[in-house]
Amino acid sequence: MQIEEWLERENKSVNYLAGRLDVTRQTVYGWMNGDFLPSAHKLMKLYEITSGDVSLEDFRAKLQELRDGEGDRLEKQIREGVERGRSYRRGSSSGS
């Protein structure tokens, strides 16, 4: 079961789950969107809180995507972002 399905079924909010897991709601949204995966510790707590309804199996598809090259795409995006940051800093410091 996906996190959003569990939240809806249990009539709970993202804020509720974030509080129980001691993470930000942005972190929970990141998990829900597949932007990144929970740590092993947080995954265990998530499993506990949801009485086993949300588990590693629910994240397996995302793990497979990362193994199949999604990680390469993310690494490229990170490098491009770093380069844009460097360009921005060079541009803003030239006016000083």
Side-chain angles (χ1 to χ4, degrees):
M1 173 179 288
Q2 299 297 313
I3 294 173
E4 51 272 24
E5 294 169 326
W6 183 84
L7 290 171
E8 185 175 329
R9 188 188 78 196
E10 298 296 318
N11 197 29
K12 302 289 185 191
S13 69
V14 169
N15 284 338
Y16 166 84
L17 189 57
R20 293 284 313 272
L21 290 165
D22 195 30
V23 297
T24 65
R25 62 191 176 106
Q26 289 82 1
T27 296
V28 175
Y29 281 119
W31 297 339
M32 290 168 51
N33 294 332
D35 296 336
F36 47 89
L37 302 170
S39 67
H41 176 72
K42 295 300 181 186
L43 186 58
M44 288 172 41
K45 284 185 76 172
L46 182 60
Y47 184 85
E48 253 179 48
I49 291 167
T50 64
S51 301
D53 287 335
V54 178
S55 69
L56 176 60
E57 294 303 315
D58 301 302
F59 293 98
R60 193 167 297 286
K62 184 61 180 172
L63 287 170
Q64 190 61 46
E65 284 177 27
L66 291 171
R67 279 192 219 114
D68 290 343
E70 183 70 10
D72 294 338
R73 184 183 68 77
L74 293 173
E75 184 179 339
K76 181 181 176 197
Q77 286 178 339
I78 290 168
R79 273 190 257 119
E80 289 170 353
V82 167
E83 188 55 40
R84 278 193 306 271
R86 288 181 186 149
S87 297
Y88 175 78
R89 283 191 296 276
R90 282 191 297 257
S92 63
S93 63
S94 62
S96 310

